[in-house]
């Protein structure tokens, strides 16, 4: 418990009973004309919050910079933090920033006239948001349940990530070939198309899902193989947007990669 | 300007003249027994701070995730933000987190017994901190001055980044060959060695600086070439620590890369 003596010119009165402002109380035990403020409760709560925030900020930064991998669930102490991040303005602002930077790059990169300049988009947490699902499942603080998640996918109800829809339309208008490269299974093609259309995505050139032979491959291997195939077909992969580093790293990497934020889950 | 009516139980008194607490003033124009608090100044500052923080948080995240590149200086509105970050606890916490994650990986990766397992460290803002220099030069908010910076380098006075010194000693003890790969010039070898030793770094296997033929190369090219040479000599690059993406990306990439935070400058 700390006792704070503060200047009577700027008395921080929150939680302080008014009686402290009567002249008779404006003397400390040292006889100085200052109010005695007991604010240990507020200080304790504040410090706990600050420590957790400091820890979780560092954890999230390390996730986004690919320093922590693999990881299974959000650290227990960061459950509320990740929820706040996802539901508050920061996640939206971060999505906006990535979309703006990718759009600036797309506008300024030189395209050939042969129609072989390509942009790749991942789907989940890149074009479509599963936030409604994760809001009901602990925002990544409980272990991933593939069965329940597939049921959610079958609803075809995931909303668009608006800044990504904006980028999607921009690169489409600029003349890029747009490839959608997802870890979803070929069995989910129909619901995925339905969901994408419902969310406003149109006219992609190819939607690539995991074929039976791709099941069990690490995402980074599967996605690298698919990029290699594109390169062999003569495509120049100029941009790649994904929320997982396994969307972006590996072989036949894109000239520029754009990492969308995702502190809820990690895909190996 | 907004006028706030607040409960007399918790009067936020900062900057509010004491006269407002006399009973005669504790009625609003609606006749309610509440003090009238004019706090537009504080609210405006608070909102500006929140907006700036939101913007600069997103900017910094995008820098660390390599979404913004290249960039020349810290955005004007983020000057104070970056200073606060670098001088406060967040930068230290972020450095700690990277060091801890890298150390965990180093301990758990399997080393062969042939002495060819390698860890690469960049120097500036990775092993040595130039924060004393940048504190005198706007924390990245003014354009880089190579002449002044070289004068600072010649002082050999850069302190160790302590979490990196810890990691350095850990990987050394585990039996990694340690390569220091820096964009500094071969001319700066003597002062660089002096500075590293003064800061507590010892027993590295090789210190690689830019030879005359490397001048003018982009960092990512120069560093990729040096990693290729290591690979040709039979080294397996298992870890790579750097504060720039140009330390980590390119060819002959390390099995795992560790991106240290640096919102002050970008090296192409």
């Amino acid at each position: 418990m700390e006792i704070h003596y503060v200047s009577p010119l700027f008395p921080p009165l929150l939680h302080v009973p008014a009686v402290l402002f009567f002249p008779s109380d404006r003397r400390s035990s040292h006889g100085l004309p200052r109010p005695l403020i007991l604010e240990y409760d507020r200080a304790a709560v504040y410090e706990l919050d600050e420590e957790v925030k400091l820890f979780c900020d560092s954890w999230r930064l390390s996730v986004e910079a690919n320093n922590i991998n693999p990881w299974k669930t959000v650290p227990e102490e960061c459950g509320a933090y990740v929820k706040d991040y996802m539901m508050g303005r920061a996640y939206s602002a971060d999505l906006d920033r990535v979309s703006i930077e990718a759009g600036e790059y797309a506008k300024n990169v030189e395209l050939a006239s042969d129609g072989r300049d390509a942009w790749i988009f991942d789907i989940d947490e890149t074009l479509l948001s599963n936030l409604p699902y994760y809001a009901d499942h602990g925002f990544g603080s409980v272990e991933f349940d593939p069965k329940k998640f597939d049921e959610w996918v079958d609803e075809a109800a995931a909303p668009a990530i608006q800044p990504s829809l904006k980028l999607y339309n921009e690169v489409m208008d600029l003349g890029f070939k747009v490839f959608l490269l997802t870890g979803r299974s070929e069995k989910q093609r129909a619901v995925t198309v339905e969901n994408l259309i419902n969310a406003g995505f149109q006219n992609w050139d190819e939607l690539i899902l995991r074929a039976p032979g791709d099941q069990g491959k690490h995402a980074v291997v599967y996605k690298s193989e698919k990029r290699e195939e594109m390169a062999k077909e003569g495509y120049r992969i100029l941009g790649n947007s994904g929320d997982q580093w396994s969307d972006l790293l590996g072989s036949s990497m894109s000239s520029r990669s754009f990492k969308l934020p995702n502190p809820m889950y990690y895909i190996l």
Side-chain angles (χ1 to χ4, degrees), chain A residues 102-178:
Chain A
E104 279 300 305
Y105 163 73
K107 262 179 277 178
N108 289 294
V109 72
E110 207 172 329
L111 301 201
S113 53
D114 61 357
R116 294 276 161 177
D117 296 298
W119 197 290
I120 302 174
F121 288 96
D122 168 57
I123 293 182
D124 293 296
E125 267 54 70
T126 299
L127 295 185
L128 296 179
S129 173
N130 298 301
L131 198 46
Y133 173 85
Y134 284 99
D136 286 341
H137 295 85
F139 295 93
S141 61
V142 293
E143 224 174 299
F144 182 68
D145 183 331
K147 196 166 161 287
K148 279 190 188 155
F149 184 73
D150 282 352
E151 287 167 16
W152 154 256
V153 166
D154 284 342
E155 291 178 32
I161 291 182
Q162 289 300 328
S164 295
L165 178 55
K166 185 169 171 284
L167 175 66
Y168 179 96
N169 288 327
E170 282 168 2
V171 303
M172 199 74 96
D173 290 347
L174 287 165
F176 284 88
K177 294 283 180 209
V178 169

Side-chain angles (χ1 to χ4, degrees), chain A residues 1-2 4 38-52:
Chain A
M1 190 177 89
E2 279 179 62
H4 299 255
L38 304 177
E39 53 178 7
Y40 60 96
D41 275 341
R42 193 160 56 119
V45 169
Y46 179 78
E47 299 228 334
L48 180 68
D49 283 355
E50 282 297 292
E51 291 305 312
V52 169

Side-chain angles (χ1 to χ4, degrees), chain A residues 43-131:
Chain A
V45 169
Y46 179 78
E47 299 228 334
L48 180 68
D49 283 355
E50 282 297 292
E51 291 305 312
V52 169
K53 196 177 173 310
L54 195 69
F55 173 83
C56 299
D57 270 346
S58 282
W59 174 79
R60 183 166 63 85
L61 183 72
S62 254
V63 161
E64 297 301 344
N66 203 25
N67 291 327
I68 300 187
N69 84 52
W71 54 277
K72 213 162 202 172
T73 55
V74 169
E76 212 178 314
E77 54 271 61
C78 300
Y81 169 94
V82 168
K83 179 184 173 182
D84 284 358
Y85 170 76
M86 295 300 297
M87 303 300 281
R89 294 174 65 203
Y91 177 55
S92 294
D94 291 347
L95 289 171
D96 274 341
R97 175 59 35 208
V98 185
S99 170
I100 290 165
E101 295 300 329
E104 279 300 305
Y105 163 73
K107 262 179 277 178
N108 289 294
V109 72
E110 207 172 329
L111 301 201
S113 53
D114 61 357
R116 294 276 161 177
D117 296 298
W119 197 290
I120 302 174
F121 288 96
D122 168 57
I123 293 182
D124 293 296
E125 267 54 70
T126 299
L127 295 185
L128 296 179
S129 173
N130 298 301
L131 198 46

Side-chain angles (χ1 to χ4, degrees), chain A residues 210 214-224 246 267-268:
Chain A
R210 275 183 197 257
D214 297 320
Q215 300 297 336
K217 285 179 188 167
H218 283 177
V220 72
V221 173
Y222 157 66
K223 295 202 167 185
S224 290
S246 53
I267 293 176
L268 193 61

